[in-house]
């Protein structure tokens, strides 16, 4: 009818009164879409949180809620919802990479480092992931891990800067031991 806020309210009412769980979930997703169309971002996040209490295992709803939390500058909420989503699909490379960025936005470099290691373990030849892991290792005071990534990049990447960084870091690491 051209009034997405009215439609969102209607769908939200249906979520509360309809008995069939599958239909309730469908209306919940439609309500979130309508709230987005009505430019009600803050209300969308609150509503998504309420719907996640009703449907905690719905991956699509979790993914939408995580995106909404990020769009409204709520990285801690995005972190929690993203972690729940990743727990349901722990080997999904896209989810791992997204969650790594969310962890950084939420100020958790330790969790980001763990995700970076998982990504490199999944795709050892991915140079961008190794470069990111090297940076994460440095931020987490793990020069040994950073050096290992830089050495790999120097050998396999063809970029002289990695070799120079590795050569500069190696003696410093030796002094720490």
């Amino acid at each position: 009818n051209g009034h997405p806020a009215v439609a969102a309210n209607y769908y939200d009412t249906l979520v509360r009164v309809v008995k069939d769980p599958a239909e309730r979930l469908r209306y919940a997703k439609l309500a979130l879409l309508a709230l987005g169309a009505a430019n009600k971002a803050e209300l969308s996040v609150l509503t998504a949180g309420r719907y996640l209490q009703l449907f905690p295992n719905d991956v699509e709803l979790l993914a939408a809620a995580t995106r909404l939390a990020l769009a409204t500058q709520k990285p801690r909420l995005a972190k929690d919802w993203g972690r729940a989503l990743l727990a349901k699909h722990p080997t999904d490379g896209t989810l791992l990479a997204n969650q790594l960025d969310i962890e950084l936005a939420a100020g958790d470099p330790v969790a980001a480092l763990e995700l970076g290691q998982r990504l490199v373990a999944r795709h050892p030849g991915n140079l961008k992931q190794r470069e990111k892991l090297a940076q994460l290792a440095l931020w987490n005071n793990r020069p040994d891990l950073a050096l290992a990534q830089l050495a790999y990049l120097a050998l396999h990447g063809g970029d002289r800067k990695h070799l120079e960084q590795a050569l500069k870091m190696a003696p410093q690491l030796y002094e720490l031991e």
Side-chain angles (χ1 to χ4, degrees):
N1 64 10
H3 301 284
V6 173
N9 191 37
Y10 175 73
Y11 291 134
D12 189 57
T13 299
L14 289 171
V15 169
R16 284 181 263 152
V17 298
V18 170
K19 300 289 184 227
D20 178 40
E23 284 297 302
R24 291 176 71 207
L25 178 59
R26 188 170 77 85
Y27 291 131
K29 292 175 183 177
L30 288 170
L32 288 180
L33 286 173
L35 284 170
N39 292 320
K40 304 278 186 185
E42 292 294 327
L43 183 57
S44 293
V45 172
L46 293 172
T47 304
R50 188 164 42 88
Y51 291 161
L52 284 174
Q53 290 176 351
L54 297 172
F55 311 104
N57 295 317
D58 189 77
V59 171
E60 193 176 305
L61 192 58
L62 261 173
T66 303
R67 286 190 303 274
L68 286 168
L70 281 174
T72 55
Q73 306 298 312
K74 294 178 175 32
R76 291 183 194 270
L77 193 54
K79 178 175 88 165
D80 293 342
W81 289 344
R83 284 179 177 181
L85 180 59
L86 188 57
K88 295 181 183 321
H89 296 284
T91 60
D92 184 311
T94 301
L95 290 178
L96 282 166
N98 290 344
Q99 190 62 27
L100 187 153
D101 292 336
I102 291 169
E103 297 292 348
L104 286 174
D108 194 342
V110 174
L113 177 66
E114 187 267 327
L115 292 168
Q117 289 174 303
R118 286 172 58 186
L119 280 166
V120 168
R122 283 178 44 95
H123 300 286
N126 186 313
L127 301 180
K128 285 187 183 237
Q129 289 175 354
R130 282 192 180 268
E131 192 165 8
K132 191 171 220 173
L133 181 55
Q135 184 60 60
L136 289 166
L138 289 172
W139 289 340
N140 281 280
N141 197 27
R142 291 281 314 275
D144 56 324
L145 181 58
L147 180 58
Q149 303 316 306
L150 290 170
Y152 183 94
L153 290 164
L155 291 171
H156 301 283
D159 190 339
R160 187 159 176 82
K161 75 175 182 180
H162 297 120
L163 176 61
E164 291 168 1
Q165 287 175 309
L167 289 172
K168 188 184 299 183
M169 183 179 281
Q172 295 169 357
L173 186 59
Y174 180 72
E175 289 173 7
L176 291 175
E177 293 178 354

